[in-house]
Amino acid sequence: MTTPVRIGVQIQPQHSPEYSHMRDALRRAEDMGVDVAFNWDHFFPLYGDPDGAHYECWTMLGAWAEQTSRIEIGALVTCNSYRNPELLADMARTVDNISDGRLILGIGSGWKEKDYDEYGYDFGTAGSRLDDLAAALPRIRARLGKLNPAPTREIPILIGGQGEKKTLKLVAQHAHIWHGFVDPESYAHKSAVLAEHCAAVGRDPSEIQHSAGVELNGGVSRGEGVKELVAKADELHAAGITLFTVGVNGPDYDLSVAEELCRWRDSIA
């Protein structure tokens, strides 16, 4: 089966003192035909003023579930370190039910040291955080199977990252969607490594949707930048990526690039 192209928008919960700006961005994204709305799981802005306005991830997803009716929602991505795996499964099940089955459970091992330090989590090492994620994923899936009421569907798990030894192995074992931070040059190799991990666990790699972020290149006019972005999306799509996500920042949440990507999606459908 051919996986349809989908467009995502990451509504970054930073630099917007008023939550209403994000509410409006989500409404506009759903109205224009965006397929997936993501936020992220951090406690402080990732760029700009490091102590600027910022909101929490999962309480926001509950609000998004009530606000919307069609668009899928999720975090790109949840930090595994911040919540007990059973609790995270329960939260995901609840948002899945509130949204009538539109949650994507995006998850990663975590990386932003300031978040850990300010909120009292043990930062550990990149390796220890990946080991923690490997231990958590079976617990999350097991708890999802025990909850009453159950999720409305098998909640899709998105794993973000591209480490060849550990992360892509976890994708092969657990994920429905792989979000790689890749360009056309590096994608083919990472995809081949993922296919090897899938073979090792007896899984068909075509079961995993491939996802990537896209953004305007700096230093060019907006018109030329959009052309380059669409050309890059064309190239990545030809290589096998079918979920394309653009990030938008507060307080204005400019969705014009997402709108262009929706037009591109519709033109190749």
Side-chain angles (χ1 to χ4, degrees):
M1 293 179 62
T2 301
T3 302
V5 170
R6 299 195 294 163
I7 303 302
V9 167
Q10 185 185 53
I11 300 173
Q12 299 166 352
Q14 62 175 6
H15 303 312
S16 179
E18 297 180 17
Y19 174 73
S20 60
H21 296 155
M22 280 166 274
R23 183 189 298 116
D24 175 68
L26 179 63
R27 176 193 58 77
R28 290 186 284 122
E30 184 166 49
D31 287 350
M32 74 173 51
V34 168
D35 298 289
V36 188
F38 294 109
N39 59 9
W40 67 30
D41 191 20
H42 294 284
F43 304 126
F44 301 93
L46 294 189
Y47 52 91
D49 179 1
D51 294 310
H54 200 279
Y55 287 94
E56 196 275 329
C57 170
W58 274 89
T59 44
M60 184 182 299
L61 289 177
W64 286 11
E66 283 285 8
Q67 179 185 340
T68 56
S69 61
R70 176 196 57 81
I71 199 168
E72 289 191 288
I73 58 175
L76 190 63
V77 289
T78 304
C79 177
N80 173 66
S81 306
Y82 301 158
R83 299 163 191 88
N84 170 281
E86 284 74 18
L87 171 61
L88 180 59
D90 204 341
M91 293 165 62
R93 178 280 308 255
T94 299
V95 174
D96 173 72
N97 274 267
I98 295 170
S99 67
D100 294 321
R102 292 181 289 114
L103 178 74
I104 294 172
L105 177 52
I107 193 167
S109 60
W111 63 274
K112 186 65 173 177
E113 189 168 5
K114 180 178 180 178
D115 286 349
Y116 285 77
D117 291 345
E118 291 278 355
Y119 278 66
Y121 297 104
D122 179 20
F123 188 58
T125 65
S128 69
R129 294 192 300 276
L130 278 166
D131 290 343
D132 289 344
L133 178 60
L137 283 163
R139 290 171 58 184
I140 291 168
R141 296 178 68 180
R143 180 58 54 180
L144 287 170
K146 297 176 182 178
L147 291 168
N148 181 17
T152 66
R153 61 173 179 167
E154 182 180 8
I155 297 174
I157 294 174
L158 178 154
I159 294 178
Q162 58 191 40
E164 296 181 13
K165 293 182 179 180
K166 292 186 176 182
T167 303
L168 292 180
K169 183 178 180 180
L170 293 176
V171 172
Q173 292 172 330
H174 299 286
H176 303 82
I177 306 169
W178 164 50
H179 186 84
F181 305 93
V182 295
D183 53 33
E185 291 72 31
S186 63
Y187 170 72
H189 172 69
K190 298 293 183 180
S191 182
V193 172
L194 175 58
E196 292 174 1
H197 284 302
C198 286
V201 297
R203 190 173 182 197
D204 181 350
S206 69
E207 296 175 3
I208 303 170
Q209 183 178 24
H210 291 198
S211 168
V214 290
E215 60 184 15
L216 289 176
N217 293 324
V220 296
S221 69
R222 188 169 192 86
E224 289 302 313
V226 169
K227 289 180 182 178
E228 290 183 13
L229 183 145
V230 169
K232 178 180 178 180
D234 269 325
E235 191 173 355
L236 287 169
H237 179 232
I241 289 176
T242 56
L243 175 56
F244 299 83
T245 299
V246 60
V248 293
N249 185 37
D252 56 333
Y253 294 106
D254 181 355
L255 295 178
S256 57
V257 174
E259 191 169 19
E260 291 290 343
L261 286 171
C262 286
R263 291 193 188 103
W264 167 76
R265 173 203 62 198
D266 296 343
S267 74
I268 64 173

